[in-house]
């Protein structure tokens, strides 16, 4: 039997959220040990040299940052550069395409006019995003606070946009506000990233996904982390170690024995007692570790491809590839195509045609390439395919078919086939992401996203519930993507779990002295 160690807090899993939580707690004077099963921390927020023999360190899984609050970056003292892109999106369509600049100007206006024949659709677009901005302005400042009640947010915005985003399936708003199938789809894709649903789904899971994609820092802008996602994790690891977090890699947790005043965490060669356990792993994984009945297993729905190309391919529309690929390049993402792909996948088949989006991060940040590649015309391309759930991509054969479908879909818009330009490729199905990252079902958010507020009748009883990080056990809190406001690379769940503990401690008599009290209310 191993000697038992004792710490104030043990964090299970070493994703970016765990690093954030550990830093706040260690800075507050608690002893914190973080246990990660892989040889490195970062979870899905890492960079890696994914192509054998090629000097390119790509953001292997997640790649863009929007939801990490600037206040959190400042508080932690992270040295990060998040770079804006001039192109928001480009969507090839027949022999033309729809260009949307990040700051929409003349090129955007002309593009809408050419596609739709008038200025009406652009006006509808501007109106919609201005209204969405009011919702973002209301919600963003609350993300690092205890959960607000729904009414506090609803009262700050016009009822029409609230209804569109929160009360009715987003597909209804898209059809009412926009006339063009392509425009509807370009807006609607934000509802479907990592979320397997129809735009008309009554569960509104797609609305929640849409909301999270539009509220980051009040602007909803997605920026490229210079140096890749690995640079974000490297900074988080630096401040965590600096604060005194004891980070242990190659340490897989096999079980958690939770009791009223703490928990024991064990794995191969270690048994650690703690007053608090933070779970940076998915709620489904936590249930298994703690010996509770597992909730339904989440199912991821994305097909991720990383490519290195010798140069960008030319497009049929004649647009400069450096403009078209600089933002989100939508492929097969008109609303009707998205709905068709969903219906086919929901019926258990791989959709006949690929729907997804492509990004070229090296147009914004060449530092992820080694000197030789950086001096050449080489570029990375990252594809995030939608509506390809775990169940329809069971094996290598299905993955190879999905990859061929991607090539067909992109080539349809190119003036030359992409294949001769490809220097390196890797693709990841949800099952492969599950294997690599222990994200159940390969679900990129550890499970479906939740509204970032309390319903009117929800009365939080202790800090864990007030911060949206509670589990059924009072001394085990969620600090990862499965927390109430956890999805994405944001650090929000880590921050909020740490604050739930810190809020509980004064009531209990300070670090390390917790007795038999469930955390009580301070707010
Ligand atoms: C393909 C893909 C693309 C994405 N794109 C984006 C994007 O561009 N922008 C964005 O904001 N978000 C994106 N996301 C989502 C985002 O990456 C996640 O929401 C985020 O990584 C969650 O962070 P986390 O710290 O909560 O958990 P994770 O990153 O999942 O980390 C959890 C850690 O726990 C470890 N672990 C699991 N079980 C155990 C155990 N038993 N013992 C010890 N350790 C364990 C895992 O190895 C892992 O390191 C993407 C995700 C994927 C997969």
């Amino acid at each position: 039997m191993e000697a038992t160690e004792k710490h104030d807090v043990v964090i299970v899993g070493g994703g970016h959220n765990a690093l954030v939580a550990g830093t706040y707690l260690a800075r507050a004077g608690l002893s914190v040990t973080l246990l990660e099963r892989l040889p490195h921390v970062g979870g899905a927020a890492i960079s890696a040299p994914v192509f054998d023999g090629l000097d390119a360190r790509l953001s292997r899984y997640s790649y863009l940052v929007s939801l990490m609050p600037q206040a959190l970056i400042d508080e932690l003292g992270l040295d990060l550069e998040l770079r804006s892109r001039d192109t928001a999106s480009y969507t090839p369509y027949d022999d033309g395409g729809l260009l949307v600049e990040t700051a929409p100007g003349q090129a955007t206006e002309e593009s809408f006019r050419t596609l739709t024949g008038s200025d009406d659709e652009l006006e509808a677009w501007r109106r919609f995003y201005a209204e969405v901005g009011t919702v973002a302005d209301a919600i963003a400042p609350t993300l690092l606070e205890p959960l607000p009640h729904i009414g506090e947010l609803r009262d700050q915005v016009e009822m029409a946009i609230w209804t569109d985003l929160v009360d009715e399936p987003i597909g209804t708003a898209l059809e009412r506000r926009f006339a063009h199938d392509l425009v509807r789809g370009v807006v609607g894709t934000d509802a479907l990233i990592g979320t397997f649903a129809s735009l008309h789904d009554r569960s509104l899971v797609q609305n929640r996904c849409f909301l999270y994609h539009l509220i980051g820092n009040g602007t909803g802008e997605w920026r490229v982390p210079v140096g890749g996602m690995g640079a974000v994790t490297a900074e988080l690891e630096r401040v965590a170690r600096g604060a005194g977090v004891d980070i242990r890699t190659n340490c897989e947790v096999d079980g958690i024995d939770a009791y009223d005043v703490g928990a024991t965490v064990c794995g191969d060669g270690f048994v650690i007692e703690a007053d608090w356990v933070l779970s940076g792993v998915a709620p489904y994984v936590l249930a298994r570790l703690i010996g509770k009945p597992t909730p339904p297993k989440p199912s991821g729905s994305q097909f991720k491809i990383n490519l290195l190309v010798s140069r960008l391919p030319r497009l049929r529309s004649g647009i400069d590839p450096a403009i078209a690929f600089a933002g989100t390049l939508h492929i097969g993402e008109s609303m009707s195509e998205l709905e068709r792909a969903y219906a086919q996948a929901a019926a258990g088949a791989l959709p006949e045609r690929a729907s997804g989006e492509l990004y070229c991060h090296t147009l914004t940040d060449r530092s992820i390439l080694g000197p030789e590649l950086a001096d050449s015309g080489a570029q990375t391309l990252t594809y995030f395919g939608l509506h390809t759930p775990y169940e329809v991509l069971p094996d290598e054969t299905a993955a190879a078919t999905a990859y061929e479908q991607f090539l067909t879909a992109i080539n349809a818009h190119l003036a030359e086939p992409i294949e001769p330009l490809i220097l390196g490729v890797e693709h990841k199905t949800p099952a492969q992401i599950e294997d690599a990252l222990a994200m159940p079902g390969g679900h990129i958010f550890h499970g479906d996203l939740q509204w970032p507020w309390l319903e009117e009748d929800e009365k939080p009883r202790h800090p864990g519930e007030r911060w949206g990080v509670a589990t059924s056990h009072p001394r085990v809190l969620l600090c990862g993507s499965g927390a109430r406001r956890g999805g994405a690379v944001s650090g929000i769940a880590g921050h909020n779990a740490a604050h739930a503990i810190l809020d509980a401690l004064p009531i209990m008599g300070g670090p390390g002295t917790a007795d038999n009290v469930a955390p009580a209310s301070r707010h």
Side-chain angles (χ1 to χ4, degrees):
M1 179 73 181
E2 305 87 6
T4 304
E5 294 178 49
K6 177 83 184 16
H7 298 285
D8 295 326
V9 184
V10 167
I11 307 182
V12 181
H16 83 284
N17 267 313
L19 293 167
V20 170
T23 304
Y24 276 105
L25 292 168
R27 282 185 184 175
L30 278 73
S31 63
V32 182
T33 294
L34 177 152
L35 307 171
E36 164 58 48
R37 63 188 257 281
L38 294 173
H40 56 78
V41 291
I46 56 156
S47 300
V50 292
F51 310 119
D52 277 351
L54 294 168
D55 194 4
R57 285 186 68 81
L58 272 72
S59 298
R60 186 168 218 163
Y61 304 104
S62 54
Y63 40 89
L64 289 170
V65 179
S66 174
L67 281 148
M68 186 172 280
Q70 189 58 44
L72 183 143
I73 295 174
D74 294 344
E75 239 171 42
L76 292 181
L78 304 180
D79 184 10
L80 287 185
E81 187 184 348
L82 303 175
R83 213 171 263 172
S84 294
R85 301 163 295 166
D86 292 339
T87 301
S89 71
Y90 180 72
T91 310
Y93 191 67
D94 293 338
D95 280 337
L98 178 66
L99 172 68
V100 184
E101 298 152 293
T102 301
Q106 205 182 331
T108 305
E109 286 168 20
E110 280 168 14
S111 190
F112 267 95
R113 213 169 288 139
T114 309
L115 177 75
T116 65
S118 80
D119 288 335
D120 295 351
E121 207 69 339
L122 176 59
E123 273 317 304
W125 176 287
R126 286 197 167 121
R127 218 171 17 251
F128 179 65
Y129 282 108
E131 291 177 40
V132 170
T134 64
V135 178
D137 284 342
I139 297 174
T142 68
L143 295 173
L144 297 179
E145 298 286 331
L147 285 158
H149 272 100
I150 184 170
E152 297 168 47
L153 300 170
R154 194 176 41 212
D155 290 351
Q156 295 179 51
V157 303
E158 295 293 332
M159 206 51 215
I161 187 67
W162 187 265
T163 303
D164 282 352
L165 299 188
V166 180
D167 295 335
E168 289 180 359
I170 189 81
T172 307
L174 296 177
E175 287 173 352
R176 196 177 53 246
R177 286 175 175 261
F178 302 102
H180 200 284
D181 188 32
L182 187 87
V183 177
R184 290 173 176 169
V186 168
V187 177
T189 52
D190 276 327
L192 303 175
I193 301 291
T195 298
F196 185 53
S198 158
L199 290 162
H200 292 292
D201 203 294
R202 298 303 318 173
S203 75
L204 303 183
V205 63
Q206 76 282 20
N207 289 44
R208 299 195 281 276
C209 181
F210 187 81
L211 197 66
Y212 276 90
H213 278 87
L214 273 299
I215 60 176
N217 281 298
T219 67
E221 185 186 2
W222 288 83
R223 291 179 292 168
V224 176
V226 172
M229 227 17 132
V232 177
T233 285
E235 269 301 286
L236 291 171
E237 184 176 2
R238 178 183 68 79
V239 295
R241 288 191 189 278
V245 179
D246 169 20
I247 295 177
R248 303 184 195 177
T249 50
N250 296 309
C251 262
E252 175 153 5
V253 173
D254 297 334
I256 301 171
D257 180 16
Y259 34 94
D260 282 352
V261 292
T264 304
V265 175
C266 58
D268 189 11
F270 62 88
V271 178
I272 307 176
E273 274 180 28
D275 292 334
W276 297 90
V277 169
L278 289 186
S279 166
V281 303
Y284 179 88
V285 176
L286 175 66
R288 194 172 43 76
L289 292 176
I290 222 163
K292 288 247 157 83
T294 48
K297 188 173 172 186
S299 171
S301 58
Q302 73 291 333
F303 184 54
K304 175 87 197 298
I305 305 174
N306 289 317
L307 294 164
L308 184 71
V309 289
S310 54
R311 62 170 170 79
L312 288 174
R314 288 176 285 113
L315 285 113
R316 270 174 58 194
S317 65
I319 188 174
D320 179 355
I323 295 174
F325 285 96
T328 302
L329 189 131
H330 297 280
I331 305 168
E333 292 194 327
S334 67
M335 185 165 173
S336 56
E337 286 170 302
L338 288 166
E339 289 296 276
R340 196 176 316 123
Y342 171 73
Q344 290 172 351
L350 187 61
E352 278 161 24
R353 298 176 61 185
S355 293
E357 37 208 62
L358 199 55
Y359 312 80
C360 177
H361 301 314
T362 38
L363 284 171
T364 309
D365 169 29
R366 290 195 77 69
S367 75
I368 62 172
L369 299 176
E372 212 172 300
L373 283 174
D375 285 347
S376 73
Q379 305 282 358
T380 63
L381 289 173
T382 286
Y383 175 73
F384 192 97
L386 305 182
H387 294 333
T388 47
Y390 190 92
E391 296 75 15
V392 307
L393 282 179
D395 51 31
E396 270 305 319
T397 311
T401 306
Y403 178 61
E404 287 302 320
Q405 287 178 335
F406 155 74
L407 293 174
T408 305
I410 180 70
N411 279 337
H413 301 295
L414 300 180
E416 55 183 338
I418 194 170
E419 287 89 330
L421 305 178
I422 296 175
L423 303 174
V425 57
E426 77 158 9
H427 43 74
K428 298 272 182 206
T429 63
Q432 288 166 327
I433 285 179
E434 176 177 61
D435 277 355
L437 300 173
M439 281 178 156
H443 196 301
I444 72 167
F445 303 129
H446 292 188
D448 289 339
L449 294 166
Q450 302 164 61
W451 294 120
W453 53 70
L454 294 167
E455 296 303 326
E456 288 305 357
D457 59 355
E458 278 187 279
K459 305 277 178 257
R461 292 160 301 169
H462 53 74
E465 289 183 352
R466 227 173 12 260
W467 286 93
V469 296
T471 70
S472 58
H473 197 281
R475 292 304 183 91
V476 181
L477 302 178
L478 300 173
C479 74
S481 211
R484 190 79 153 234
R485 297 171 283 187
V489 177
S490 70
I492 293 171
H495 170 281
N496 292 350
H499 282 71
I501 293 182
L502 296 176
D503 275 8
L505 287 177
I507 300 154
M508 299 172 162
T513 60
D515 311 317
N516 57 354
V517 210
S521 172
R522 205 170 59 142
H523 289 273

